[in-house]
Amino acid sequence: MRIVLLGAPGSGKGTQAALLMEKLELPHISTGDLLRTAVKNATPLGIKAKEAMDLGNLVSDDLMLGLIEERLGQDDAARGFLLDGYPRNVSQANSLDELLERIGQPVDEAIQIDVDSELIVERIAKRAAEEGRSDDTEEVVRNRLNVYEEQTAPVVSYYAEKGVLSRVLGVGSVEEVLQRILGVLAQRDTA
Ligand code: AMP
């Protein structure tokens, strides 16, 4: 099954993706994690991506397409995957569709995790204290939320129009949210 997880920064999609990976035995592909590793290892991609990431802006679509093409081409992604952090704008959503259509494996399900903005800010502040991510400072967080509203939120409508979108409420315990997502996937399976 090919699943795209959508949600604002701090919506819990990374946490949910890690749990879903175990339950569904699918690789969790987080573009944010791939980029952070590239930055840490100072690869050519990491060097090019760092400035945009530090500012909370999006890394260029070209770089991202190269990254995602390479990752989805790896053996473990052949049976399906959980995408976390990609696509981040409508142009990336189109590129992903083209890529997957070429191999006859379209997105089966896009899941939007809904959390209201006050809770998001609270969660990100907590993560900043716990993980010390360099893009979790207040100013950068504000920019990341703006980028999300302007560029990423339209991706939700994109998948709704394709008829593959489900929305789940992202509040409550981690386990409660997980069960909601699994419920949605079970329904899709029997549809
Ligand atoms: P994340 O961990 O998903 O919040 O990603 C951290 C940062 O990596 C983002 O703020 C962007 O700068 C960059 N990034 C991750 N995924 C993408 C993407 N699909 N397109 C562009 N930039 C991305």
Side-chain angles (χ1 to χ4, degrees):
M1 187 153 28
R2 290 163 299 277
I3 302 168
V4 170
L5 284 173
L6 301 169
S11 61
K13 65 184 159 42
T15 305
Q16 292 299 330
L19 296 170
L20 288 165
M21 169 179 81
E22 304 225 324
K23 290 256 181 215
L24 305 174
E25 295 181 3
L26 291 174
H28 168 200
I29 300 178
S30 156
T31 47
D33 286 349
L34 291 171
L35 288 169
R36 278 183 286 278
T37 303
V39 170
K40 206 168 95 205
N41 297 334
T43 66
L45 168 70
I47 291 165
K48 288 188 201 132
K50 187 175 183 327
E51 191 185 342
M53 291 176 74
D54 282 345
L55 295 171
N57 291 328
L58 294 186
V59 173
S60 79
D61 290 346
D62 278 358
L63 283 180
M64 294 311 299
L65 185 57
L67 175 72
I68 207 76
E69 247 181 317
E70 195 208 313
R71 182 63 189 86
L72 294 184
Q74 290 172 14
D75 289 350
D76 65 340
R79 277 190 320 111
F81 48 77
L82 284 153
L83 260 189
D84 162 13
Y86 193 95
R88 214 62 162 228
N89 59 31
V90 170
S91 158
Q92 292 183 5
N94 276 308
S95 298
L96 178 65
D97 269 354
E98 278 169 28
L99 186 71
L100 295 176
E101 266 163 32
R102 250 186 280 146
I103 51 173
Q105 305 206 318
V107 168
D108 296 304
E109 183 75 42
I111 299 178
Q112 159 74 2
I113 303 181
D114 284 316
V115 176
D116 73 34
S117 48
E118 254 169 62
L119 187 58
I120 294 265
V121 172
E122 211 176 281
R123 284 188 184 174
I124 295 181
K126 196 164 157 247
R127 184 170 73 188
E130 283 168 6
E131 293 178 18
R133 258 174 64 164
S134 62
D135 60 355
D136 270 349
T137 61
E138 196 183 324
E139 200 186 336
V140 175
V141 165
R142 213 173 303 132
N143 189 41
R144 286 169 65 214
L145 291 171
N146 283 338
V147 167
Y148 174 79
E149 283 305 327
E150 283 167 18
Q151 303 191 50
T152 311
V155 174
V156 177
S157 315
Y158 177 94
Y159 285 115
E161 280 161 26
K162 300 236 161 207
V164 293
L165 181 80
S166 298
R167 309 184 80 115
V168 303
L169 191 60
V171 299
S173 69
V174 168
E175 182 60 29
E176 279 166 347
V177 178
L178 178 65
Q179 290 307 324
R180 283 179 205 134
I181 296 174
L182 291 172
V184 159
L185 293 174
Q187 260 183 357
R188 177 76 61 183
D189 251 3
T190 55

